[in-house]
Amino acid sequence: MEAVLAALLASLALGAIGLPLAAVLLRRLPDMGAGLAVPLGLLTVSLPYFLLRVADVLPPGRGGYLIAAALAGAGAALVARNVRWRRADRMRLLLGIVVAASVYFGAFLAYTAFRSYNPEIAGTEQPMDLLFLNATLTSPEYPPRDPWLAGEPVSYYYFGYLQTGVLTAISGVPASVGYNLGLAATFAATASGLVSVAWALARWALPARARGYAALAPAAAIILVLFVGSLSAVFEWAAAHERYSEPLYRAFGVDYLLPCDPGATANCYAGPAGARTSAWYPTEYWFWWRGSRVIPGTITEFPSFSFLLGDLHPHVMALPLVTLATGIALALWRGRVPLTLRRARARPWEPAVLGAIFGALAFQNAWDVITFSALLALAAAARNARLMPGGRALAGTAAFLAPAGAAALLLYAPWWLTFSSQASGLLPYVGEGTRPAHAFLQFGVPGLAAATLLIAAFPGRARLGPPAVAAGWVAVVPFVGWVAFAAARGDLATGADARGAAGWVTLAALGLAAWALSALALTLALGRRGAAPAAALAAVGFLLLYGAELFFIRDIFYGSVPRLNTVFKLSYQAWLLLGLAASVAIASLLAAAAERLRTSPSGAGLLAARAALPPLGLLVAAGLVYPLLAVFNRTEGFSRPTAIDGLAWLQASDPDEYALTRWVAAHTPPGAVVIEATGRRWAIDAGGNRTMVDANVDYTDAGRIASRTGRQTPIGWYFHEIQWRGDSEANRTRLVERQGAVDDAYVTSSPDRVVAVMRDFGAEYLVVGAVELARYPGPFPDYDAFLDRVFESGRYRVYRLPEYRPVSAP
């Protein structure tokens, strides 16, 4: 409980640091940005900490974090002192603070309570996430060292881990606790940010007499973005109780839930006959995992899945920041002064702050920077278009944003110089297209809810006509680009056939939605209607889904599942944007249905709004089946013991291994290199010789000491290092050589070879724990004869390399 309270107080402090700047940047929002203060405060502390650590000004450890927080706090106080607050602004800000704090604290405590039933940091990629968190916390130098590749800097977008490290260090809790509280803080900051943005969108969209209904939008946004999940859960629930229709399941593309035919085992349910569950919810282990893999060959993760799973991944930690970036873009759009180079010169802090925020998008999750920077540029251009002629508006926008772009590159240069992207270009997608049924199951709730903006904000056919023609490029240009690109590569005929009739239907539906909502946004913008931003967000959301059907970024998965990451990352962005737009649609429809707002003089809009609400409500309810079932499955009906330390499971299951881990963390210097098992499995053959029988190390407990302590080891998860550093022959050779050398330290009979391996890697310590005993059967070298035993617990040992005596006679 003390750790939870400490994290809440740290969050409060970070929010107080971010509040003055939020109130200046986001003054146009109804709450003056109070709901976005925590991510802004976290950024305000994390960026100076990063830069000052790179410059070797701040000391490592908690003291450096506290100094950075104090500096950021002093800057925030200076901003607050120099702003002239009007009475109305103070009242808005006070109301915003109360609402934001209530939502944040409620969401933080609720998620912490849920996470306490499954706090273990184990399985999936959670060891990797803990590794990077520990790296940012313990590295003696910056940029941080890669604990899974001793001597090398991290080659990843790790700003989210750095920010979680800020919260962890200020709270004074261990990394294994900060991991889970960081997830809670991410969930809570996203919730409060959604309140701020959705409230603004709805107040702008609704006429004055109906603005009371704007309060519905924040609740709708939280539900749609953070709770709604895949509609496949409805089918999972029915199948678990053996209530299914084979034709219906096949029609919706969930035939993998149907019982296998005799002799078949693939793409069907191969379990025993009879009821598949022992409770009202499905009890099959992690049944909810399938909800993020409905579209073959892709990952279609969504926030409720992410927070159920508990991986502290960059795309999850980025949710508060992308919500902040969206709020900044919306506030910029509402301004009344042209954005030009003159303004940038008069207020140089403004492009600098924009550069810090939008540059952080790349550092936190590189996939976000293009989408949300484009959103910023669109907002700035739309604002200038209201105030200046077309050509001057575009030139002014470019001149205003150029210094922000330069600031983004300059501020984050130390990271750019060490980051190695594995993206190698844009290619046309010429494989099987997404089936409409699969698209509906995954994106139906936020997508169709957002599309109802066409009903809620319909301006009339006469006004919609000309903008509809102008907006046609939104759907046509990407498609023409795909045709030209595929033809140039000689893949056009292949791609057209491979997409299939179903894939073409999905593509047409997504393109039509993007076009219609773009036309609506343009019409509303030309009429200076407040619903234009919501329509624009919906259009961008559909455009992301549409684009992911046409193109993909070539990366490490090109040879097997080429569009896996593209669909994954773009659909995740789309989910947020569509959820925000849908919250405005729901608020508008409810207002219309209550007869407090009429969308057209004839009353046709009112009739349409009333007709749209029941199916929309049913759709949202179906989307909430996923979290309802998954939460009970994940917690085993809330019957599991609770904890908040992510390593409590290790302490309970293997106390000696836990003691070894804690000893390494407490008694070795932060920059130490520790020899531990590579994870490759060895066996003793018939001749009594050791032979390697399994080279797979990823997603195992390989590198667990480095992960749990932040100390470096020569080699951790092999394929992940390939993903981060490039799939080249040189990298493969280098990493395999490291694996071979470390294995030698356990399977050799020569003390000199052990010492040579340790000295080659600069390692002072060697571990013999649970993994080493399991991976290397047979006798180990007699380490006690030439190394110092510095820790012992049960069968587990830690040895230290002595520097004062030879190992053996010449």
Side-chain angles (χ1 to χ4, degrees):
M1 188 61 189
E2 292 84 358
V4 176
L5 180 60
L8 276 173
L9 291 175
S11 298
L12 181 64
L14 291 166
I17 290 171
L19 188 63
L21 188 55
V24 173
L25 290 172
L26 301 162
R27 182 173 171 271
R28 295 291 178 182
L29 274 56
D31 69 343
M32 297 185 69
L36 296 162
V38 171
L40 190 54
L42 199 51
L43 175 63
T44 305
V45 175
S46 301
L47 179 56
Y49 175 82
F50 171 71
L51 294 174
L52 292 174
R53 282 298 311 277
V54 169
D56 201 23
V57 173
L58 287 182
R62 192 183 185 200
Y65 288 98
L66 293 175
I67 292 171
L71 293 173
L78 186 63
V79 171
R81 181 179 179 182
N82 286 278
V83 175
R84 296 182 180 179
W85 306 98
R86 297 183 304 174
R87 177 180 174 82
D89 290 339
R90 289 198 298 269
M91 294 304 296
R92 281 198 298 140
L93 186 58
L94 179 61
L95 176 61
I97 291 171
V98 171
V99 172
S102 300
V103 171
Y104 185 92
F105 284 2
F108 186 97
L109 293 174
Y111 184 80
T112 300
F114 161 74
R115 183 66 182 168
S116 69
Y117 286 93
N118 47 273
E120 56 274 1
I121 304 172
T124 64
E125 290 184 316
Q126 293 180 15
M128 179 200 82
D129 296 322
L130 182 60
L131 174 98
F132 284 129
L133 175 58
N134 269 315
T136 63
L137 283 166
T138 65
S139 182
E141 60 189 31
Y142 262 60
R145 299 176 183 176
D146 183 349
W148 275 348
L149 199 67
E152 299 282 347
V154 169
S155 179
Y156 198 55
Y157 26 87
Y158 57 87
F159 197 44
Y161 301 103
L162 194 156
Q163 292 182 82
T164 303
V166 167
L167 180 64
T168 300
I170 293 176
S171 304
V173 299
S176 56
V177 174
Y179 179 106
N180 288 321
L181 295 179
L183 278 170
T186 299
F187 182 82
T190 304
S192 63
L194 289 171
V195 168
S196 184
V197 175
W199 190 5
L201 287 168
R203 278 185 61 85
W204 298 340
L206 295 171
R209 67 176 181 271
R211 282 182 181 161
Y213 287 89
L216 300 172
I222 291 175
I223 291 171
L224 290 166
V225 175
L226 291 178
F227 286 95
V228 160
S230 171
L231 292 171
S232 63
V234 176
F235 296 92
E236 294 271 8
W237 198 2
H241 293 280
E242 290 190 294
R243 301 181 185 278
Y244 44 76
S245 163
E246 185 171 330
L248 183 65
Y249 273 53
R250 294 195 184 282
F252 274 92
V254 290
D255 40 307
Y256 53 83
L257 295 174
L258 296 172
C260 292
D261 293 329
T265 57
N267 199 41
C268 56
Y269 176 73
R276 305 178 191 178
T277 181
S278 58
W280 63 267
Y281 58 89
T283 53
E284 179 188 353
Y285 181 70
W286 280 28
F287 83 90
W288 41 270
W289 177 273
R290 291 190 290 261
S292 68
R293 303 297 193 276
V294 168
I295 300 175
T298 70
I299 296 174
T300 46
E301 192 170 322
F302 40 89
S304 65
F305 171 88
S306 303
F307 288 109
L308 279 163
L309 182 63
D311 283 8
L312 194 67
H313 274 8
H315 67 276
V316 180
M317 293 183 287
L319 282 170
L321 185 62
V322 296
T323 306
L324 171 63
T326 304
I328 293 289
L330 295 175
L332 211 64
W333 174 79
R334 288 285 289 188
R336 298 171 185 169
V337 177
L339 299 173
T340 63
L341 185 59
R342 176 179 295 181
R343 179 181 173 91
R345 286 175 175 172
R347 297 157 60 102
W349 61 267
E350 192 169 16
V353 171
L354 290 177
I357 293 172
F358 284 82
L361 291 172
F363 195 2
Q364 186 142 349
N365 182 38
W367 286 84
D368 292 331
V369 68
I370 295 176
T371 297
F372 291 93
S373 294
L375 195 64
L376 177 73
L378 179 64
R383 169 171 164 173
N384 280 348
R386 293 199 312 266
L387 305 169
M388 305 163 65
R392 287 180 56 201
L394 291 177
T397 301
F400 174 77
L401 292 178
L409 291 174
L410 182 62
L411 288 171
Y412 298 100
W415 170 71
W416 284 111
L417 294 173
T418 58
F419 175 62
S420 176
S421 173
Q422 298 315 306
S424 58
L426 184 72
L427 292 175
Y429 177 63
V430 292
E432 182 181 0
T434 301
R435 293 174 56 181
H438 288 157
F440 172 71
L441 290 178
Q442 289 306 113
F443 313 119
V445 179
L448 293 179
T452 55
L453 272 173
L454 292 166
I455 296 172
F458 188 67
R461 281 187 293 273
R463 283 186 289 171
L464 188 60
V469 176
W473 66 268
V474 169
V476 172
V477 169
F479 180 72
V480 170
W482 176 83
V483 170
F485 202 170
R489 291 176 56 85
D491 292 333
L492 182 58
T494 301
D497 290 340
R499 188 173 297 274
W504 284 110
V505 170
T506 300
L507 184 68
L510 294 174
L512 179 63
W515 165 69
L517 286 161
S518 296
L520 176 64
L522 183 57
T523 302
L524 296 174
L526 291 172
R528 302 201 173 189
R529 297 276 298 278
L537 292 184
V540 173
F542 275 109
L543 187 60
L544 290 170
L545 298 179
Y546 180 59
E549 290 294 313
L550 293 171
F551 303 98
F552 68 95
I553 301 294
R554 179 171 180 167
D555 59 14
I556 196 76
F557 301 104
Y558 173 67
S560 52
V561 278
R563 66 171 183 156
L564 181 143
N565 261 331
T566 301
V567 172
F568 175 13
K569 300 301 172 60
L570 296 189
S571 67
Y572 208 80
Q573 297 169 1
W575 192 282
L576 173 74
L577 298 176
L578 292 175
L580 283 168
S583 71
V584 178
I586 289 173
S588 299
L589 292 174
L590 287 170
E595 298 188 27
R596 301 288 294 274
L597 170 66
R598 293 184 179 273
T599 55
S600 67
S602 65
L606 175 61
L607 183 62
R610 284 179 166 175
L613 273 175
L616 184 58
L618 183 62
L619 188 66
V620 173
L624 290 173
V625 170
Y626 180 89
L628 174 66
L629 302 181
V631 163
F632 277 88
N633 179 280
R634 188 78 166 107
T635 62
E636 297 177 12
F638 295 96
S639 64
R640 301 186 69 196
T642 59
I644 200 61
D645 189 337
L647 294 181
W649 68 273
L650 181 64
Q651 185 177 19
S653 63
D654 194 342
D656 292 332
E657 177 77 7
Y658 179 79
L660 184 155
T661 301
R662 301 315 305 160
W663 186 91
V664 171
H667 295 90
T668 62
V673 177
V674 178
I675 300 292
E676 59 174 310
T678 63
R680 299 198 294 184
R681 189 178 298 277
W682 292 67
I684 299 177
D685 62 20
N689 300 311
R690 280 197 179 99
T691 305
M692 189 179 64
V693 295
D694 187 356
N696 176 60
V697 300
D698 290 65
Y699 301 101
T700 71
D701 45 15
R704 90 281 187 195
I705 300 297
S707 170
R708 296 166 187 167
T709 66
R711 304 308 185 258
Q712 299 172 81
T713 196
I715 182 64
W717 286 6
Y718 169 87
F719 186 66
H720 279 69
E721 290 291 348
I722 290 291
Q723 291 181 57
W724 302 330
R725 300 177 187 279
D727 188 9
S728 66
E729 186 63 31
N731 276 342
R732 287 180 176 270
T733 300
R734 179 168 66 116
L735 298 183
V736 169
E737 286 177 351
R738 285 193 174 217
Q739 288 181 316
V742 172
D743 285 342
D744 278 353
Y746 292 100
V747 302
T748 186
S749 59
S750 168
D752 288 327
R753 177 57 179 155
V754 175
V755 172
V757 168
M758 296 181 73
R759 287 179 174 166
D760 285 347
F761 291 116
E764 193 173 356
Y765 300 91
L766 181 144
V767 167
V768 178
V771 180
E772 290 72 30
L773 291 171
R775 295 293 193 274
Y776 305 111
F780 288 116
D782 184 9
Y783 296 121
D784 286 300
F786 57 93
L787 300 177
D788 292 336
R789 186 189 301 183
V790 291
F791 170 84
E792 179 178 7
S793 183
R795 299 173 60 204
Y796 304 157
R797 312 277 192 274
V798 177
Y799 293 95
R800 183 175 182 175
L801 180 67
E803 299 180 357
Y804 53 85
R805 64 183 182 187
V807 172
S808 61

